[in-house]
Amino acid sequence: MSTLVRTPAFKPGSLPRANLLPLSETRRREVRRIGRSWVTIGLGSLVVALLLIGGAFALNVQAALRLVAANADTDRVIAEIAELAPVSQAVAQRTELSGLVTQAMAGDIAWREAVGTIADALPSGVTVTGYALAAGQVPGDTAPEETVGAAGSVTVVSDEPISLVEATRALRGVDAILEVSVQTLAEEEGLYTYTVEVQLDQTIYSGDFAPEQATETE
């Protein structure tokens, strides 16, 4: 029986090569190559991690710097607002005073003259004994002769009966009176008491609290 023997093939013109290293050395070299590969991979991963950490740190520094700048701007704005505090207080005080003046204008009535206007239009012998008048609107852009300045009732007495029609007609002829009606209230011990329901326009306002008109400049 013949045995088949394979002979190595050689290329013409080349020297034959043979691996004479022991198998243990070949394995050792392979392990070293694999180890170097893992070391390279580890070092690359470490470099990437360091780059990521450095980038995050840089972003954190930038954010901190922006925060410091924003805080500086906030402090500057707060300081500017604090400098304007006296101005704000002055404006608030002026607004408050304007409100008080407006409230005062609503009751800015020459009460003695208002009641006297009614008394002068009544027949002789009639005496005003009391009145309950409430201030009307604050003077505005409307004509004072067309706007209610005060409204309510005036109580008068007379030792003689008076004509309600004639008394009402006489009162309606007064310029400052918008609406009026005279009513009988009572008669006691020879005295006749009447109630005058009246609305007066704003010409009865004294004008003491009216805002000063700006003077014209040349």
Side-chain angles (χ1 to χ4, degrees):
M1 182 176 180
S2 62
T3 302
L4 180 62
V5 178
R6 176 173 300 191
T7 59
F10 298 101
K11 293 182 180 180
S14 62
L15 296 175
R17 299 180 63 183
N19 186 5
L20 302 178
L21 293 175
L23 181 60
S24 60
E25 180 65 19
T26 301
R27 289 180 177 177
R28 186 181 67 80
R29 292 185 177 184
E30 182 67 19
V31 170
R32 289 181 60 186
R33 185 184 65 79
I34 295 175
R36 286 195 299 269
S37 300
W38 280 109
V39 170
T40 302
I41 294 174
L43 291 175
S45 300
L46 179 61
V47 170
V48 171
L50 291 176
L51 290 176
L52 292 176
I53 294 173
F57 179 76
L59 292 176
N60 188 24
V61 170
Q62 292 180 359
L65 293 176
R66 287 196 297 268
L67 179 60
V68 170
N71 290 335
D73 291 339
T74 301
D75 294 339
R76 178 178 55 80
V77 171
I78 292 175
E80 292 178 354
I81 293 175
E83 292 178 356
L84 295 176
V87 178
S88 300
Q89 294 176 358
V91 172
Q93 291 176 356
R94 181 175 180 179
T95 302
E96 183 180 0
L97 290 176
S98 298
L100 294 176
V101 170
T102 300
Q103 295 176 4
M105 288 174 62
D108 183 22
I109 298 175
W111 295 104
R112 185 183 298 275
E113 295 180 6
V115 176
T117 299
I118 298 172
D120 293 342
L122 292 172
S124 60
V126 178
T127 304
V128 175
T129 58
Y131 62 89
L133 297 174
Q137 304 176 13
V138 176
D141 297 332
T142 58
E145 297 83 2
E146 300 175 357
T147 309
V148 176
S153 62
V154 177
T155 304
V156 299
V157 297
S158 174
D159 54 1
E160 296 289 340
I162 63 176
S163 172
L164 300 181
V165 175
E166 293 181 359
T168 300
R169 184 181 297 115
L171 289 170
R172 287 178 178 175
V174 178
D175 293 337
I177 295 179
L178 296 175
E179 297 289 340
V180 67
S181 64
V182 182
Q183 303 173 4
T184 302
L185 184 60
E187 185 274 329
E188 184 178 356
E189 297 180 356
L191 288 178
Y192 299 87
T193 304
Y194 301 90
T195 300
V196 180
E197 300 293 334
V198 65
Q199 287 186 0
L200 301 168
D201 64 25
Q202 290 188 349
T203 59
I204 64 172
Y205 282 15
S206 67
D208 294 340
F209 296 96
E212 296 180 359
Q213 299 295 331
T215 59
E216 296 183 356
T217 58
E218 296 181 358

